[in-house]
Amino acid sequence: MENVMVFNHPLIQHKISILRNKSTGTNEFRALIEEIAMLMGYEALRDLPLEDVKVETPLETCMTPMIAGRKLAVVPILRAGLGMVNGILALVPSAKVGHIGLYRDEVTHEPHEYYCKLPSPIEERTIIVTDPMLATGGSAVSAVDFIKQHGGKKIKFMAIIAAPEGLERLHKAHPDIQIYVGHLDRCLNEDAYICPGLGDAGDRIFGTK
């Protein structure tokens, strides 16, 4: 699919395998989520615009490239998406952070918005939406919908694990955005959980049940 990148980097695959292990504790799980987000972000931010600025080195003054224009915006889908934010901020500490709150109906599995706060002016920023799990795709589609409604234009979506059903739904609804996936899993089960997956990412990041 155009605008979709599924990573095959050995470090990302190795760390995802540790995430899957049910015996991986909260502290290690949280750290791995951040590390994977940083590794994925390195590639996802490859096309950030640059401009030459004047810098005085110890030897002379020169023109050298720096990130141009309005800085990056990271927008996690609450709450699991929060786990990926620090990985992106490690790469671009000046990035602004917004939040989109969605919850999933336990019967229909469809998302409902309860919070949306985005950096301004959002239309001038490169926006990375983060959510560790791209399952049905409902939350991802809704989050991108909300961002576009607020004027967001250049949008990237990052998920550590995706189901084919969710990836197809997001790409079909928003073929213009760039989608980055750490690993494409087999399928969704009858409860709309990714298989083999890693369980509930939010619960494992925050140590809740």
Side-chain angles (χ1 to χ4, degrees):
M1 289 183 281
E2 189 178 1
N3 288 333
V4 175
M5 179 175 184
V6 180
F7 288 88
N8 60 6
H9 195 288
L11 286 175
I12 293 176
Q13 299 311 309
H14 174 81
K15 292 175 185 293
I16 289 176
S17 294
I18 301 174
L19 283 182
R20 294 188 192 278
N21 193 325
K22 66 180 182 180
S23 65
T24 298
T26 300
N27 189 47
E28 184 179 11
F29 191 93
R30 188 182 298 141
L32 285 164
I33 290 285
E34 289 185 13
E35 291 168 9
I36 294 167
M38 183 166 61
L39 290 168
M40 293 176 63
Y42 179 81
E43 180 63 34
L45 299 176
R46 178 181 292 275
D47 61 352
L48 283 178
L50 296 172
E51 63 181 352
D52 285 338
V53 299
K54 184 182 292 186
V55 171
E56 186 174 346
T57 79
L59 299 178
E60 61 181 84
T61 299
C62 68
M63 299 300 290
T64 189
M66 295 187 72
I67 296 173
R70 294 284 182 175
K71 297 298 188 289
L72 186 73
V74 186
V75 181
I77 298 177
L78 302 178
R79 64 185 168 142
L82 286 170
M84 300 174 69
V85 172
N86 284 343
I88 306 300
L89 293 180
L91 298 172
V92 188
S94 61
K96 306 298 184 184
V97 180
H99 299 87
I100 291 181
L102 301 168
Y103 69 90
R104 187 171 71 165
D105 187 290
E106 294 300 325
V107 176
T108 66
H109 305 305
E110 290 302 308
H112 299 274
E113 177 196 7
Y114 65 87
Y115 186 78
C116 184
K117 182 72 172 180
L118 301 175
S120 181
I122 194 65
E123 65 273 9
E124 297 180 15
R125 302 181 187 275
T126 297
I127 304 151
I128 293 188
V129 182
T130 62
D131 195 348
M133 312 294 282
L134 178 56
T136 65
S139 294
V141 169
S142 294
V144 176
D145 283 341
F146 298 143
I147 292 171
K148 287 184 175 180
Q149 288 166 13
H150 284 80
K153 296 179 176 66
K154 189 173 183 181
I155 302 169
K156 302 170 184 281
F157 186 92
M158 283 177 47
I160 292 175
I161 290 178
E165 298 93 330
L167 181 58
E168 182 178 357
R169 181 175 178 182
L170 177 58
H171 183 262
K172 183 177 181 180
H174 297 288
D176 57 308
I177 73 169
Q178 295 175 340
I179 304 171
Y180 298 87
V181 173
H183 193 275
L184 187 61
D185 274 21
R186 188 178 70 251
C187 66
L188 295 176
N189 66 14
E190 60 184 12
D191 296 316
Y193 278 91
I194 301 173
C195 293
L198 48 76
D200 188 297
D203 283 343
R204 297 192 67 184
I205 290 168
F206 297 105
T208 56
K209 294 293 182 182

